[in-house]
Amino acid sequence: MTAKKRDSAATRPWARTKGGNVKALFTISPEHEKALRDEALRRAYAVRSAKPDASAVLREILDGWLQARSK
C-alpha cells in the first residue's frame, strides 16, 4: 500500500453489499470461528430464522470495541 491511505469502498466498489457494508476477509482461530457460528445459530434459532448471520454478530462486537475505544 502506498503512503496515501486508500478507501476500500472507493477502490473496490464490487465489495459493497446492497446495505452499504464492505465485504472483508478475516483470518480467525478455529475457536473464534466456532464461537461466532454458535452465536449466529443461537440468534437465528431465537427468531426462528433458517439463516444465521455471523456478520451481524461480528459487527456488534466491533461496534462495542469502537465505542469502548472512543472513551
Side-chain angles (χ1 to χ4, degrees):
M1 191 164 144
T2 65
K4 188 176 180 182
K5 194 172 185 179
R6 293 184 182 172
D7 177 15
S8 64
T11 59
R12 302 178 337 161
W14 52 266
R16 275 209 178 268
T17 66
K18 290 180 183 177
N21 292 324
V22 179
K23 294 180 184 181
L25 177 66
F26 296 92
T27 303
I28 57 177
S29 72
E31 294 82 12
H32 291 153
E33 189 268 341
K34 182 178 182 332
L36 188 59
R37 289 203 183 273
D38 287 350
E39 179 60 16
L41 286 168
R42 184 194 66 76
R43 291 180 183 198
Y45 182 76
V47 296
R48 298 177 186 220
S49 171
K51 191 172 182 184
D53 189 356
S55 292
V57 177
L58 188 55
R59 285 191 300 272
E60 183 181 306
I61 292 166
L62 289 170
D63 285 342
W65 175 73
L66 286 171
Q67 187 176 32
R69 187 174 168 216
S70 69
K71 291 182 181 180

